Structure formats: C-alpha cells, structure tokens
Amino acid sequence: KTRPFFSEFRVHSTTIMAVEFEGGVVIGADSRTTTGAYIANRVTDKLTPIHERIFCCRSGSAADTQAIADAVTYQLGFHSIELDEAPLVQTAASLFREMCYRYREELMAGIIVAGWDPRRGGQVYTVPVGGMMTRQPVSVGGSGSSYIYGYVDSNYRAGMSKEECLKFTAEALALAMERDGSSGGVVRLAVISEQGVERQAILGNQLPKFSTV
Amino acid sequence: ISLLPLQYDLSASTFSPDGRVFQVEYAMKAVENSSTAIGIRCKDGVVFGVEKLVLSKLYEEGSNKRIFNIDRHVGMAVAGLLADARSLSEVSREEASNFRSNYGHDIPLKHLADRVAMYVHAYTLYSAVRPFGCSFILGSYDEDDGPQLYMVDPSGISHGYWGCAIGKAKQAAKTEIEKLQMKEMTCRELVKEVAKIIYIVHDEVKDKAFELELSWVGEVTKGRHELVPKDIKEEAEKYAKVSNCPSDENLDKVCPSSCYICP
C-alpha cells in the first residue's frame, strides 16, 4: 500500500525504553514526532499514564497508539473499581495485547507497558507490532532501538539501583537519538515505584555525550 | 406481620406487607431439604466435604457429583436443586473464562463470587422466572491472596467465610466447625476433620446410605482444585468412622450390630 506519507498520518518514529529494578521501573522516550521529514512535534510526551502507577511507552502510529491507550485506560479504570484494588501491570499489558492482536491488520503500534503493582513490584511488558506480549527485565522499542541493542545487551546488569537505571536509560536513548534521524529532542524519563511517579526531562545541552567524531 | 403468605408468595416480584419476598425464602427452604455440604478454610488451603445421599443401590458410584471445578484454581460445592446448581456452575465457568480472556490472569475469588451472586440475584427480581433453588460454596487458593472461601445463597448475597455449612444439617455442622481452630490447621489435618463432621451430622435414621465427596485446593495441590486422592480420603474416612464409633470399652458400650460405620 502506498500512501502520500506526510499528508496522511503522523508517526512517532521513536526510541522508547523501560527497565525493571528492585522496587519499580524506569521508563524513557525521546520527544520527536515526524510526518515524513518534518518534525511535527519536537517536545512530544510519549510516556502516557494508563493508571496511577502504570504507564505505557508509545511507538508507531501516533493516532493508533493514542486511541489504544485511551481505550485501555478506560477498561483498566473500570476493572480496578470493580475489583476494588490497584490493577496488575500484567492486566494492563493483557488489555493492550488483546487490542493490538485483534486489530493487528489495521494497527501499527509498538507499545511497552511498565509500572508497579503491590503484588509483583516493578514489571516491564513489551507488546510489539503484531500483538505478542512478553515480560522482559529491559525492553527497547521504536525505530531508534535498532541502534542500541548492542549497548543495552552489553551494559545491562540485573540488580541495578534506581540511579544506575536512570543513567543507563538516559545514555541508551541519547545514543539512539544521535544516530536515528527519526528520534531526537529531549529525553523524557519517569520512575514508577510504590511511592508514586517522578518525571524528568533531560534537555539538549545536558544530554550525555559520547563520540566526538 | 402477615403470618400467612396469602397472595404475596406467588411471584418473586411481590413483597409481602412485612417486607419479605416469599419466593426467595422458599428457594432457601429447597436448599435446607438437601443433604449437607461444608467448606472450611485453613492456613494453607480450602477443603470441601459433601454428604451425598444415595437414594438407590442401583446408582453408579460417583454419579451426580456435587463438587464442581470452576477454573483450575476454584472449586464449588453445592446444596439444593442439583440441576439449578449445574446451570450455575456453567455460569461461573463462563465468568472465570471470560475474565481470563480479557485480563490475562486467574479470576480473584471475591470477584467471581460477586459476579455469580449478581446473576443469582437477577433471578429474584422478576415474576417470569423463579429464583435458583441452590446455595453454593466457592473456594480457591493462590499465592498472593492465600486461601479464600465464599458462599452464595438464593437471595444473591455472598459472604466470605472461614468455615460454612449449607443443607439440612447446617446448624449441627456449624457447631462442629466452630470447635475447630482452622486458622492454625493445614489441609492434611483439615481433611480428616471435614470427613469427621460429615459423618457426625449424617442422620442414619432418616437417610440411609451416603457417599462422602471430599475435595481440596491449597498449597498441597499447588493451587489446583482437585478431588482428594483415594488413599488420603480412605484415611480420612477411617478417622471419621473411628471418631464416631459408638462402642467404647471403658463405658461398656458394645458395638451395635447394625451400625452404619462399620457395616
């Protein structure tokens, strides 16, 4: 199917990432949304709250992921009130998976679901295009993720602290944004734990620097 | 106060002047005509015991079971009209299955009990249908919530319990259950006590032969609801029979020749 790219839809073309640590998760994303070569939004927030302590990182079609996230937010909120307890991260991920798999032909959505629940602590679930769902201790997604698989595989260690995870995520995203034309802007980070959600943004001049070539 | 139902008991959509829905009360009487079923929650699981009366020697052993599997981790013991109970077990299975399809994990027992209770309650609202004539006890075990026990009655109310009994001898069974320290017991100990209680409340004069149905779910079964294995069941029945044996050498009570315990 060929469609005039820029006049039809906006795409994230992204780098997103999530890491589990003892007591919670660290999630991160870049902030660039493109329609073709034009950067439609250079300060996008791709980290979307689904529930108090469950977020999703969105990559793929902006419209598709926003619509799915809205639907899942509704379903999860309803479910949580019925059960009268905080929803499980696994439940949120299952809801994403059901929708992404059922409508896989119509959608283009790569989503990472991450959060904290009282039963199983911090968890990261990845729901790539096609609609599979699997739990991973660390997960990357979006067009920029291709450039950082090597970095992630060689630098991830189990049992990292919150600060180590933040540094790991920021550096990985910075590397991806450096190489992927469709990723850039600022690095948005969030830490989700029992205490709640702490958000931060790392702006252009404060980004980790690597190569000088 | 209307002591006589008069015309207030013909349909479930009618209140009596003193605020009772007689059809629902009659449904509960149907449960009281049935033989006893008990469920007890202990430290690491839930055990069900049912006194299944055998009305004819020609019946195949083990037919018309009164304990159902709702999901891998949930069991249901019933009392009352068995056909009504079977239909509700199908409803419960569908609820549990749909939950798993939508949300990707086992249904929490409280939620299942609430959903099925809502369904039972719906049948107490209209004159076109009659209420379900059965009560049932739901039990489950999982690592996060531990053992759980809920009972639903024909009015559509559900309560959580440590121990409960339904059926004709429920008062006697409750008295026996209250004597137990179930919070400190394990499933293996409790299985024997449940068998003993069923044997105690069984009325040998009015009801002759019965089959004991025993099932459990807990740490010992790794969270799966199953019928108690044959050898453990036999041991439990032996304990029950010995505890209830009327013969006692110290009191000079002789073993009666036609005792149902040791035929």
Side-chain angles (χ1 to χ4, degrees):
Chain A
K1 281 188 265 194
T2 53
R3 308 152 85 174
F5 204 86
F6 40 88
S7 61
E8 284 281 344
F9 55 89
R10 292 209 305 260
V11 181
H12 276 321
S13 296
T14 304
T15 316
I16 50 176
M17 181 166 166
V19 191
E20 288 177 12
F21 68 93
E22 181 72 42
V25 292
V26 168
I27 59 176
D30 74 305
S31 70
R32 180 171 293 181
T33 307
T34 50
T35 51
Y38 176 64
I39 299 175
N41 186 352
R42 63 187 178 99
V43 285
T44 324
D45 184 7
K46 303 179 189 178
L47 306 175
T48 310
I50 300 298
H51 202 263
E52 218 178 307
R53 286 178 178 74
I54 305 177
F55 269 64
C56 73
C57 312
R58 298 179 294 114
S59 75
S61 154
D64 287 353
T65 56
Q66 280 174 11
I68 297 170
D70 285 347
V72 172
T73 304
Y74 165 75
Q75 291 172 346
L76 199 65
F78 188 90
H79 172 73
S80 167
I81 289 178
E82 257 193 326
L83 252 55
D84 196 22
E85 54 180 71
L88 300 176
V89 184
Q90 188 201 17
T91 307
S94 285
L95 288 170
F96 271 106
R97 179 263 308 274
E98 282 302 300
M99 202 165 290
C100 292
Y101 180 70
R102 189 177 298 239
Y103 300 109
R104 54 181 290 163
E105 303 302 325
E106 285 91 352
L107 294 172
M108 188 167 79
I111 295 173
I112 301 179
V113 184
W116 183 92
D117 65 48
R119 286 197 194 195
R120 307 215 188 108
Q123 300 145 72
V124 169
Y125 294 86
T126 183
V127 184
V129 284
M132 89 160 190
M133 190 256 282
T134 184
R135 182 176 173 188
Q136 298 179 311
V138 62
S139 187
V140 294
S143 59
S145 67
S146 324
Y147 305 102
I148 52 172
Y149 274 104
Y151 179 82
V152 168
D153 285 346
S154 56
N155 286 64
Y156 172 72
R157 288 162 292 120
M160 286 196 282
S161 70
K162 179 177 99 172
E163 288 68 28
E164 286 173 316
C165 285
L166 279 165
K167 182 160 178 286
F168 173 56
T169 309
E171 291 191 346
L173 288 168
L175 284 165
M177 285 153 62
E178 186 69 23
R179 285 294 181 177
D180 179 29
S182 315
S183 302
V186 307
V187 168
R188 293 207 190 276
L189 294 167
V191 181
I192 310 171
S193 66
E194 188 177 359
Q195 284 71 39
V197 181
E198 306 159 28
R199 301 203 59 160
Q200 51 177 285
I202 304 181
L203 306 184
N205 55 351
Q206 294 154 348
L207 283 170
K209 292 177 185 45
F210 293 93
S211 166
T212 50
V213 296
Chain B
I1 305 279
S2 81
L3 297 167
L4 297 171
L6 291 179
Q7 292 185 351
Y8 306 117
D9 67 341
L10 296 174
S11 84
S13 65
T14 310
F15 277 105
S16 73
D18 52 341
R20 296 155 71 175
V21 181
F22 281 105
Q23 277 297 307
V24 173
E25 295 188 19
Y26 295 162
M28 302 212 225
K29 289 239 180 68
V31 177
E32 269 158 47
N33 288 340
S34 136
S35 61
T36 320
I38 66 175
I40 307 184
R41 171 183 162 191
C42 63
K43 199 166 57 175
D44 64 350
V46 170
V47 180
F48 290 119
V50 177
E51 171 205 10
K52 194 175 70 176
L53 297 181
V54 177
L55 296 171
S56 160
K57 288 203 183 73
L58 297 173
Y59 284 167
E60 191 185 16
E61 198 185 316
S63 60
N64 287 341
K65 284 208 174 332
R66 286 180 42 193
I67 299 184
F68 302 94
N69 243 319
I70 299 306
D71 197 346
R72 281 195 301 246
H73 64 301
V74 178
M76 174 196 259
V78 306
L81 301 176
L82 192 52
D84 287 11
R86 282 207 188 108
S87 138
L88 281 173
S89 79
E90 276 306 307
V91 165
S92 309
R93 284 171 181 153
E94 228 181 291
E95 279 292 332
S97 171
N98 285 341
F99 186 96
R100 188 191 291 280
S101 285
N102 289 332
Y103 302 110
H105 64 89
D106 294 349
I107 188 168
L109 192 67
K110 177 165 200 313
H111 186 68
L112 176 63
D114 284 345
R115 296 282 299 183
V116 186
M118 225 189 299
Y119 187 91
V120 168
H121 170 249
Y123 280 72
T124 68
L125 296 169
Y126 310 107
S127 57
V129 293
R130 65 163 175 80
F132 284 94
C134 63
S135 291
F136 51 94
I137 312 175
L138 293 163
S140 85
Y141 175 84
D142 74 68
E143 274 173 11
D144 299 315
D145 294 321
Q148 302 275 309
L149 187 65
Y150 282 87
M151 195 262 280
V152 179
D153 68 19
S155 67
I157 294 184
S158 81
H159 281 117
Y161 287 89
W162 276 95
C164 74
I166 48 181
K168 55 172 62 140
K170 71 173 190 217
Q171 275 305 113
K174 276 198 188 123
T175 317
E176 292 302 318
I177 292 174
E178 278 165 18
K179 293 180 188 163
L180 298 176
Q181 300 291 330
M182 68 271 296
K183 295 183 196 183
E184 276 114 54
M185 294 170 84
T186 65
C187 272
R188 283 189 194 275
E189 295 161 359
L190 192 56
V191 161
K192 299 200 289 208
E193 296 302 325
V194 165
K196 179 177 162 195
I197 293 176
I198 295 286
Y199 269 82
I200 290 175
V201 305
H202 173 68
D203 185 342
E204 180 59 12
V205 175
K206 290 200 194 128
D207 313 310
K208 303 286 177 184
F210 79 101
E211 264 176 47
L212 172 66
E213 262 182 77
L214 273 181
S215 78
W216 59 0
V217 56
E219 220 179 302
V220 64
T221 65
K222 299 195 182 53
R224 296 182 84 107
H225 176 252
E226 308 170 336
L227 291 179
V228 169
K230 194 150 168 263
D231 52 342
I232 301 183
K233 183 170 169 208
E234 276 170 9
E235 199 192 313
E237 279 195 275
K238 200 163 119 197
Y239 171 82
K241 288 179 181 176
V242 165
S243 307
N244 289 324
C245 184
S247 73
D248 192 330
E249 279 164 13
N250 299 340
L251 299 175
D252 283 335
K253 276 199 215 161
V254 186
C255 180
S257 53
S258 60
C259 173
Y260 72 98
I261 291 177
C262 324

